[in-house]
Amino acid sequence: MASSARSDETLKEKRTPLQLISQGPCLPGIPQHPTFASQRQWMLEKMALAFRVFARLGYTDGMAGHISVRDPENPHTFWTNPLAVHFGLLKASDMILIDYEGIPVGGNTSRPANAAGFLIHSAVHKARPDVVAACHTHSVHGMTWSAFGRPLEMLTQDCAYLYGEAQAVFHDFGGVVLTQEEGDRIGAALGAKGKGLILQNHGLLTVGTTVDEACFLMTLMERACQCQLLAEAAAANGLPKVLISDESARYTFENSSDPETLYWEGQPDLQYEEYMCGGKHRE
């Protein structure tokens, strides 16, 4: 029996997180594309769907909020959304390609991009070559929890996706981001391993190796902020919080928060938006 148990543990150690979560046939890996052009179109379509997810969930806030996706062929450039267009209306053809100097070099150059968004996203992409996509929103619970200047506690399984260095707090809010220095400080605050950043008195920022991953982490982080606020309210009335242990949080993180699993975590919401918009996001 002991030998059999050890064999089971050895087999489990060799399985990927995606294999562990798939009972039966394993979900496939992140799609690969034969050309830069096909990969770019795929990314832009996913980007449009991610914005529609944010619209449905109520993350819109005037002209604020943006997603960036690093171009697969020219990694010193990234795609972002036009200023003052509702998230729920965005299509692949609406996106603007911008270089690190802030110059529009492709896509929908007839519309301006968000200047604050450019400063934030360019700093993140420069600081983290591994980051393909970044999302920033002014979601209600994210903004509210950001006022405390504290990281999320390990209250739920979802919070454990942001265990340890995967989340950080940017404390030095200096108003609307309109200087390169402010953008650079935000990029540095994310750190080398960060997936989610709480911008104090501002909102949330998430990153990923796909826009699907960054989008899902944004929805996860917003829900985690909501849970944290509800838990704080209950605790203020005398109910003690019970946190997940470091060991359990680390185990969950290591077996759930990898790029392939997070890519697939994002698919249900993106699939729903594709169905609801009837494919208009591809235009």
Side-chain angles (χ1 to χ4, degrees), residues 10-42:
T10 300
L11 180 61
K12 182 179 289 187
E13 289 173 4
K14 292 180 179 178
R15 299 172 68 189
T16 67
L18 201 58
Q19 290 172 330
L20 289 171
I21 203 170
S22 301
Q23 186 66 35
C26 183
L27 289 169
I30 298 169
Q32 301 297 309
H33 302 272
T35 66
F36 289 129
S38 61
Q39 184 177 0
R40 181 180 297 114
Q41 183 62 26
W42 175 75

Side-chain angles (χ1 to χ4, degrees), residues 59-211:
Y59 298 174
T60 57
D61 182 17
M63 295 190 292
H66 13 82
I67 296 175
S68 65
V69 177
R70 192 189 299 271
D71 187 79
E73 185 175 9
N74 301 294
H76 60 289
T77 66
F78 60 88
W79 295 86
T80 192
N81 50 302
L83 187 63
V85 178
H86 194 278
F87 290 175
L89 300 176
L90 286 168
K91 308 179 295 296
S93 60
D94 290 320
M95 308 309 173
I96 308 165
L97 183 64
I98 302 178
D99 67 15
Y100 283 168
E101 302 303 316
I103 300 172
V105 293
N108 182 20
T109 56
S110 65
R111 294 294 298 258
N114 187 307
F118 163 73
L119 293 170
I120 293 171
H121 290 274
S122 61
V124 168
H125 286 291
K126 287 178 187 176
R128 290 281 300 277
D130 61 308
V131 166
V132 173
C135 303
H136 170 56
T137 70
H138 293 182
S139 56
V140 172
H141 300 101
M143 286 193 293
T144 305
W145 179 246
S146 77
F148 294 93
R150 290 170 48 195
L152 291 160
E153 296 177 321
M154 296 296 105
L155 289 171
T156 67
Q157 175 179 303
D158 285 357
C159 286
Y161 283 46
L162 297 168
Y163 174 75
E165 294 178 275
Q167 70 160 321
V169 179
F170 177 67
H171 297 284
D172 190 22
F173 176 64
V176 177
V177 181
L178 294 176
T179 66
Q180 187 63 57
E181 291 76 16
E182 181 83 352
D184 290 343
R185 286 196 294 271
I186 291 173
L190 182 63
K193 299 180 180 179
K195 294 173 181 282
L197 181 65
I198 297 170
L199 305 173
Q200 185 174 309
N201 306 110
H202 189 166
L204 304 178
L205 175 82
T206 58
V207 301
T209 58
T210 60
V211 69

Side-chain angles (χ1 to χ4, degrees), residues 238-259:
L239 294 175
K241 291 183 289 187
V242 178
L243 302 184
I244 299 172
S245 69
D246 279 345
E247 181 182 5
S248 295
R250 185 182 302 109
Y251 177 83
T252 299
F253 175 79
E254 291 175 350
N255 289 284
S256 303
S257 198
D258 65 295

